[in-house]
Amino acid sequence: MLRRLIAAAALLAAALTAAPAAAAGGPLRDLAEARGIYLGTAVTGDRLTGGYADVAADQFGSLTPGNEMKWDAVEPTRGSHDWSRADRVVAFAEAHGQRVRGHTLVWHNQLPGWLTGGTWTADQLRTLMTDHVTAEAGRYKGRVDHWDVVNEPLAEDGTLRRSVFGATLGESYIADAFRAARAADPTAKLYLNDYSIEAVGAKSDGMYDLVKRLLAQGVPVDGVGFQAHLILGQVPASLEANLRRFADLGVDVAITELDVRTTLPATAEKLDRQKADYASVVRACLAVTRCAGVTVWGFTDSDSWIPDFFPGQGAATLYDEDLYPKPAYDGIAGALAPVTPPAPGVCSVTYAVTQQWAGGYTAQATLRNTGTAPLDGWTVRWSQPAGQRVTQAWNTALTQSGTEVTASHLPYNATLPPGGSAAFGLNGTWSGTNPPPTSLICTSGT
Ligand code: 9MR
């Protein structure tokens, strides 16, 4: 509480001095949880003090150590582990009720010098790798929600990357790493993670086929992480469909390293575009049931890898260097805003026989949305107690059972704005008399 008050006071002070972008609701972690996903961030462990720590704790429901769990960080000397930096991030997360995405057990970068400088047979390398997975996943057993077990296994064309692991061990190293991770921590969700697989294309096709092969071999792959290091204005149109096709394989999906870089300087117009980009990635995740959450790769521009790796580019995160929320913050908050289902629309219906002849008739019904919210689907029911039979209907899906008639919307006239109406008609037969319907009612809903 105190932490929140201090953060609120800091934000207020910032508002008075520097007019930060208005933060539309929040904290983001609560908005996300209410929508059934987590919103996480990568952090730099030794920055977890002061305002940086406050924002990390207040706004994010999941932390990914940006570098602290990589092999070079945890085993700088062969056989001698240093868990201190990783421990610190995990302890911080636990103290603030946050999940941890473990990143990463097997990757071709940020390997210890003793490993890259050594000469290993395939068997030796395989054993080193599985021992490492066993040691690290075992150390954090039960405390890591998701592990990026293998990071960036693919080349740009979707084939196996010829990394030290791929080139020496072939694809089987992936299965071995996952099996070792499962044995060491049976409850963590185990992910394959890669970049440039957000759109449907050669690389994501390669990932798709790889996941399929691994699942067919019984390899315990629980999820696929889509890093999403994106360029301003280039959120792939196929992102949602791509996430969905992986989910349909029976794995979870997650956005794991989201940032949206731009050339500097970042103008108001660019930041507005960035806001839309962040929002659309979050919306894509929300739209796919098996999307577990979205992690941003650093939350402040002062803690982003972009300027170092792409000279002249930056401003890729949702807070500026002084920890003021940028429009991207509002974009995420807006996408995560609670969905308030519209109040059920209210409808009225009229029915009139428009033509009648010996044994037959035509009737017309008009349904109107008399409420203040859109009507999302409708059904009209009535009784025709004199034995009339409906023989044909248009602009509605109509069934009759005995004396009871049910007429429902079709896809094209399902939604009616307040005040809007839909008409449908029917032909029927009658004998004796053709009295008007009784119990004529309409109800809203699909
Ligand atoms: O954010 C990380 C940065 O601090 C490191 O210098 C860099 C070194 O490779 O790795 C960055 O994180 C990477 C992540 O581990 C895997 N996907 C790409 C990320 C950005 O390079």
Side-chain angles (χ1 to χ4, degrees), residues 16 47 179 183-184 191 218 249 328 333:
L16 294 174
R47 292 196 59 183
R179 291 199 165 108
Y191 275 67
L249 286 177

Side-chain angles (χ1 to χ4, degrees), residues 351-353 381-385 388 434-440:
Y351 176 105
V353 171
R381 291 187 180 80
W382 69 90
S383 298
Q384 26 197 48
Q388 302 102 317
N434 185 16
T438 57
S439 331
L440 177 69

Side-chain angles (χ1 to χ4, degrees), residues 42-44 64-67 70 103-104 107 109-110 148 151-152 193-195 227 229 256-257 259 297-298 303-306 308-310:
V43 290
T44 297
T64 303
N67 290 299
K70 292 170 180 172
H103 177 81
T104 170
W107 188 29
N109 278 334
Q110 291 176 279
D148 287 332
N151 191 38
E152 301 173 5
N193 194 51
D194 216 325
Y195 65 86
Q227 293 186 7
H229 293 293
T256 52
E257 305 186 12
D259 50 24
W297 203 246
D303 191 35
S304 166
W305 67 297
I306 297 295
D308 293 339
F309 284 71
F310 299 94

Side-chain angles (χ1 to χ4, degrees), residues 163-421:
S163 68
V164 58
F165 302 109
T168 317
L169 305 175
E171 190 175 297
S172 66
Y173 88 87
I174 299 175
D176 291 340
F178 273 81
R179 291 199 165 108
R182 175 65 95 230
D185 184 352
T187 60
K189 297 266 191 201
L190 306 181
Y191 275 67
L192 267 173
N193 194 51
D194 216 325
Y195 65 86
S196 294
I197 58 165
E198 292 76 29
V200 174
K203 191 168 179 183
S204 67
D205 288 352
M207 182 62 99
Y208 184 83
D209 293 342
L210 172 62
V211 172
K212 243 169 129 167
R213 280 196 300 280
L214 292 168
L215 293 176
Q217 294 159 31
V219 178
V221 179
D222 300 312
V224 177
F226 300 75
Q227 293 186 7
H229 293 293
L230 302 176
I231 296 169
L232 188 75
Q234 295 187 22
V235 178
S238 57
L239 174 62
E240 182 186 321
N242 193 36
L243 295 176
R244 186 166 283 121
R245 74 170 169 154
F246 280 86
D248 288 346
L249 286 177
V251 291
D252 293 341
V253 294
I255 305 294
T256 52
E257 305 186 12
L258 176 61
D259 50 24
V260 180
R261 63 182 180 267
T262 178
T263 48
L264 296 172
T267 59
E269 198 185 330
K270 288 178 188 172
L271 294 180
D272 242 35
R273 177 72 241 195
Q274 186 181 54
K275 171 183 177 178
D277 289 346
Y278 268 96
S280 72
V281 173
V282 171
R283 277 198 302 269
C285 179
L286 286 169
V288 176
T289 312
R290 290 198 76 143
C291 184
V294 175
T295 297
V296 296
W297 203 246
F299 59 86
T300 158
D301 289 342
S302 71
D303 191 35
S304 166
W305 67 297
I306 297 295
D308 293 339
F309 284 71
F310 299 94
Q313 299 188 48
T317 77
L318 52 157
Y319 284 79
D320 72 11
E321 307 222 339
D322 299 317
L323 289 180
Y324 298 154
K326 293 160 57 184
Y329 179 102
D330 294 341
I332 297 178
L336 291 173
V339 188
T340 35
V346 190
C347 51
S348 67
V349 60
T350 58
Y351 176 105
V353 171
T354 52
Q355 278 187 61
Q356 184 169 306
W357 60 94
Y361 67 100
T362 299
Q364 180 88 23
T366 303
L367 168 115
R368 185 172 301 282
N369 178 359
T370 53
T372 53
L375 198 63
D376 185 18
W378 49 263
T379 299
V380 177
R381 291 187 180 80
W382 69 90
S383 298
Q384 26 197 48
Q388 302 102 317
R389 302 288 314 168
V390 177
T391 53
Q392 192 188 5
W394 50 95
N395 297 334
T396 185
L398 186 145
T399 55
Q400 181 171 1
S401 170
T403 56
E404 303 306 307
V405 182
T406 304
S408 296
H409 63 264
L410 290 170
Y412 61 82
N413 62 7
T415 307
L416 296 181
S421 61

Side-chain angles (χ1 to χ4, degrees), residues 124-167:
Q124 286 170 328
L125 183 65
R126 196 180 297 276
T127 304
L128 284 170
M129 180 197 77
T130 49
D131 284 354
H132 165 64
V133 171
T134 304
E136 182 154 18
R139 167 143 188 120
Y140 296 105
K141 182 180 171 179
R143 300 169 74 193
V144 166
D145 248 73
H146 293 177
W147 264 115
D148 287 332
V149 176
V150 175
N151 191 38
E152 301 173 5
L154 298 181
E156 307 314 300
D157 64 358
T159 61
L160 186 70
R161 182 189 284 275
R162 309 304 289 170
S163 68
V164 58
F165 302 109

